[in-house]
Amino acid sequence: FFLKCYCFCPQFRFKEKRMDEVWLVEFYAPWCGYCKKLEPVWYEVGAELKSSGSLINVGKMDATAFSSVASEFGVRGYPTIKLLKGDLAYNYKGPRTKEDIIEFANRVAGPVVRALPSRQMFEGVLNRHSVLFVYIGGDSPLKEKYIEVASEMIVYTYFFSALEDALPTNVTLQELPSVAVFKDRTYFLYDAYQDGELSSWVNRERFRGYLHIDGFTLYELGETGKLVAIAVVDEKNLTEEIAPKVTFGHMDGNDYINSLIMGEVPVPSIIVLNTSNDQYFLLGEPVKTLDQLVQFIHSVLDGSAQAQGGDGIFQRIKRVAFDARSTVMSVFRSSPLLGCFLFGLPLGVISLMCYGICTAESDDGTEELDLLKREALPEEDEYEDRRREGEEEEEEERQEEKSAADKKVD
């Protein structure tokens, strides 16, 4: 059920085969820790697809041994998961779990837009999928645009098409053709005048109204441009009293949020993130009523709530310092000896270099001073010799004058 691409078959054979088949390929590096962690999951993915009768081939390729091929598919990091269908390559960006990877493979390997010919099939699809988009109507420019958007966004969600008579009885359309998203036990219609480009609307609406949010989900939500309201809770103590009060989602623990806002968020608490400019709004007191939470959300939307953070120059400098400090602290916490070696050795080398530079400057100054003294010494000796000669001449003159005076007296 599992083939190692380019390891058990020549490159040219794989390239010929992949154009006529569907391949789910993991590009890995032998030294990559994340790749080793994914390996048992990857074997389970292959076994599951094989046992279900899927026509998807599952394989893996050493991207370091076949770097030219990895570069051809745009591999920049490890592990990278791609589904290859004909001349198209779809990147997988979801959680690395067996269920999520298989769901991605089955969705992307099938038709970009699936038809729903009957109401019974429509209702069955609604029960199986939490979010799905449906084009309703016949051929039109909107349908062409819908297929184009579906080709790009199929990696995230499902796209269907149906005629009006296949819709559930509770769905009411304002016009035909239409595009609708079904989620959270209701539906929303696309309005080109209010919602803008169809691709942007699909990107915003591809999430459920309430989510269990982690770092990956929050990163994906950042691409929608929406405000994200998060309840920071201890999931072990999550009760029915907390969950209904949260508009968008909850996050287990405060570690990720603390690193995001570079501060400390108490548990439980409510925080609203503006992912477009990195601002956040924090409710300073515990939420006791639903009205209190709704009032807080409205204050964020109307601009009366005080925003913190942002993407200004000061915050960017603070982010660099915070990330550096966090990295150093995490290294020392995980392995103190390794931390001392990684940071102590460079500091020791830099200290020795500074000491050598300072010492070299001091020696140079001393040598120059000694040289000046040596150059000035001959001049001082010459001056002293002339002074002595002058004194000797004056002494001789005094002796001669004294001798002459003595002769006159005689």
Side-chain angles (χ1 to χ4, degrees), residues 134-150:
V134 181
Y135 171 84
I136 306 148
D139 294 337
S140 68
L142 179 60
K143 184 176 183 179
E144 295 178 0
K145 184 64 176 179
Y146 178 78
I147 296 174
E148 179 183 340
V149 173

Side-chain angles (χ1 to χ4, degrees), residues 26 38 67 138 258-259 278:
E26 175 205 354
L38 178 63
S67 57
N258 289 344
S259 65
D278 295 335

Side-chain angles (χ1 to χ4, degrees), residues 59-232:
K60 61 188 300 185
M61 180 177 66
D62 185 351
T64 61
F66 301 95
S67 57
S68 60
V69 180
S71 177
E72 177 185 345
F73 288 108
V75 176
R76 297 293 181 268
Y78 311 113
T80 294
I81 299 174
K82 288 179 177 286
L83 188 133
L84 310 178
K85 185 170 67 172
D87 57 352
L88 300 176
Y90 297 91
N91 291 325
Y92 176 68
K93 300 179 181 179
R96 293 166 186 163
T97 63
K98 182 187 73 173
E99 293 75 17
D100 289 304
I101 294 175
I102 291 176
E103 198 271 342
F104 161 81
N106 289 330
R107 182 176 67 247
V108 179
V112 173
V113 178
R114 294 166 166 85
L116 298 175
S118 66
R119 181 173 298 173
Q120 182 179 3
M121 184 175 291
F122 200 121
E123 292 176 349
V125 167
L126 288 177
N127 293 329
R128 288 197 303 270
H129 304 298
S130 58
V131 179
L132 58 96
F133 292 86
V134 181
Y135 171 84
I136 306 148
D139 294 337
S140 68
L142 179 60
K143 184 176 183 179
E144 295 178 0
K145 184 64 176 179
Y146 178 78
I147 296 174
E148 179 183 340
V149 173
S151 301
E152 299 177 0
M153 306 295 288
I154 189 65
V155 295
Y156 299 114
T157 188
Y158 283 93
F159 294 86
F160 296 89
S161 64
L163 297 177
E164 187 177 9
D165 56 4
L167 297 178
T169 56
N170 64 330
V171 177
T172 302
L173 300 179
Q174 298 176 353
E175 61 180 0
L176 284 175
S178 292
V179 177
V181 57
F182 291 81
K183 60 179 181 178
D184 303 325
R185 299 180 181 179
T186 185
Y187 65 95
F188 304 93
L189 297 176
Y190 167 67
D191 188 331
Y193 297 101
Q194 295 182 1
D195 300 322
E197 290 290 332
L198 179 61
S199 58
S200 300
W201 178 77
V202 170
N203 190 47
R204 290 195 302 269
E205 299 297 333
R206 61 187 176 92
F207 294 98
R208 301 193 311 272
Y210 180 85
L211 299 169
H212 179 190
I213 298 175
D214 54 16
F216 170 79
T217 308
L218 188 59
Y219 175 80
E220 290 290 300
L221 287 170
E223 299 180 355
T224 66
K226 285 186 175 181
L227 294 175
V228 183
I230 302 175
V232 183

